[in-house]
């Protein structure tokens, strides 16, 4: 099923106010690609400023707490993200799974909290190199999808309205310059799709599955043209307009 391509920049822990100029340049460039959904997830500290300065692209967070508010020093809730103007939140990124010990059940709870706050979600999954070498990539990723996607009535509604996305990001491809082979990406996206349809029924076809892991201007066209790839979650190559806009262009070129 064709989806509107979704190209999301994950700035991770990069970006001070000086980088808002890049966001503005990305938003200006984005205007040339009306058939592509484009978004940036800057650090929490820049979400408000970015939202105030750019209206042409989506703006999101990189994590949220499961609670709406309370005694959770250092955390930020989905309601707070929505309040500052965020449209979505990335959840379960492998860096959070690893650095913060986040597991599937917590990620599902966060995703359901985010939907309750009116945000869209991008739930991340992906296998390690050891898991791939052991022939377990599909089983691991299928289990992560089963365990961490949002469920319930709110999720069904969000799926129907395109507010749920999954990012397949092999851990060994993130920030390494090593990209998954297109045939492996196709196979993994098919495995993710099967689990989405198992969970959501036919509506599971509506969920966009993004590929992430060392996407750049040189490889974006091939990856985005691959069967089942609905967009890209881009880290390093989203930090400047010069690096990011060619990826958006590759998505735009693939349409129609
Ligand atoms: P990368 O990061 O593009 O720098 O590999 C992708 C991600 O972690 O989302």
């Amino acid at each position: 099923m064709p989806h509107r391509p979704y190209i999301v920049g994950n700035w991770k822990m990069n970006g001070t106010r000086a980088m808002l100029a890049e966001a503005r340049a990305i938003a200006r460039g984005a205007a040339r690609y009306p058939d592509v959904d484009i978004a940036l997830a800057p650090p929490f500290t820049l979400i408000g400023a970015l939202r105030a300065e750019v209206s042409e692209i989506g703006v999101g967070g990189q994590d949220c707490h499961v609670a709406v508010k309370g005694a959770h020093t250092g955390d930020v809730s989905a309601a707070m993200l929505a309040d500052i103007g965020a449209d979505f939140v990335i959840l379960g990124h492998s860096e959070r799974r690893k650095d913060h010990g986040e597991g599937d059940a917590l990620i599902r709870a966060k995703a359901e909290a985010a939907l309750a706050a009116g945000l869209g979600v991008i739930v991340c999954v992906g296998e390690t190199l050891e898991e791939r070498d052991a022939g377990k990539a599909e089983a691991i990723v299928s289990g992560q999808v089963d365990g961490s996607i949002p469920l319930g009535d709110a999720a069904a509604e969000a799926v129907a309205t395109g507010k749920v996305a999954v990012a397949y990001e092999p851990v060994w491809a993130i920030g390494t310059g090593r990209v998954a082979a297109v045939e492996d990406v196709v196979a993994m996206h098919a495995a993710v799709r099967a689990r989405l349809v198992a969970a959501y029924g036919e509506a599971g076809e509506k969920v966009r599955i993004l590929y992430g892991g060392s996407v750049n201007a040189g490889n974006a066209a091939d990856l985005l043209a691959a069967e089942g790839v609905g967009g890209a979650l881009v880290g390093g190559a989203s930090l400047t307009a010069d690096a990011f806009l060619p990826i958006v262009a590759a998505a735009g070129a693939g349409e129609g």
Side-chain angles (χ1 to χ4, degrees):
M1 178 207 252
H3 298 93
R4 262 175 79 83
Y6 190 21
I7 307 295
V8 182
N10 172 12
W11 279 8
K12 309 192 178 185
M13 199 173 72
N14 298 290
T16 54
R17 284 178 296 166
M19 258 177 74
L20 292 171
E22 293 296 337
R24 284 194 297 271
I26 287 169
R28 275 197 306 276
R32 295 200 298 274
Y33 306 99
D35 295 330
V36 182
D37 289 339
I38 303 160
L40 290 176
F44 289 139
T45 49
L46 290 183
I47 292 173
L50 212 151
R51 178 75 296 163
E53 295 201 18
V54 304
S55 53
E56 304 87 341
I57 62 173
V59 178
Q62 302 169 13
D63 179 46
C64 69
H65 195 275
V66 288
V68 174
K69 62 179 179 160
H72 302 289
T73 302
D75 280 314
V76 170
S77 75
M80 290 167 176
L81 291 176
D83 178 59
I84 198 81
D87 308 299
F88 72 97
V89 61
I90 297 169
L91 295 168
H93 190 282
S94 61
E95 287 153 13
R96 291 209 61 86
R97 289 179 186 260
K98 181 162 165 287
D99 295 354
H100 298 270
E102 294 193 9
D104 291 337
L106 176 65
I107 295 160
R108 164 169 290 152
K110 289 182 176 197
E112 291 174 355
L115 295 180
L119 297 174
V121 296
I122 301 174
V123 176
C124 301
V125 296
E127 81 285 358
T128 64
L129 191 55
E130 296 69 44
E131 290 162 347
R132 172 154 290 272
D133 287 346
K136 294 182 186 156
E138 275 194 34
I140 292 287
V141 165
S142 296
Q144 289 175 339
V145 174
D146 288 347
S148 51
I149 56 172
L151 297 177
D153 290 348
E157 200 183 313
V159 165
T161 53
K163 289 177 82 171
V164 175
V166 170
Y168 166 61
E169 300 200 297
V171 176
W172 46 271
I174 294 176
T176 58
R178 207 179 140 187
V179 187
V182 169
E183 59 265 33
D184 290 334
V185 173
V186 171
M188 295 304 293
H189 280 228
V192 171
R193 178 70 66 204
R195 300 320 304 156
L196 292 170
V197 170
Y200 299 131
E202 226 174 273
E205 300 282 356
K206 288 193 194 264
V207 176
R208 287 181 288 198
I209 307 173
L210 318 183
Y211 170 78
S214 297
V215 176
N216 60 36
N219 58 33
D222 284 349
L223 288 163
L224 291 166
E227 171 147 20
V229 176
L233 184 55
V234 185
S238 71
L239 295 173
T240 64
D242 282 352
F244 193 56
L245 286 173
I247 299 170
V248 174
E255 282 303 278

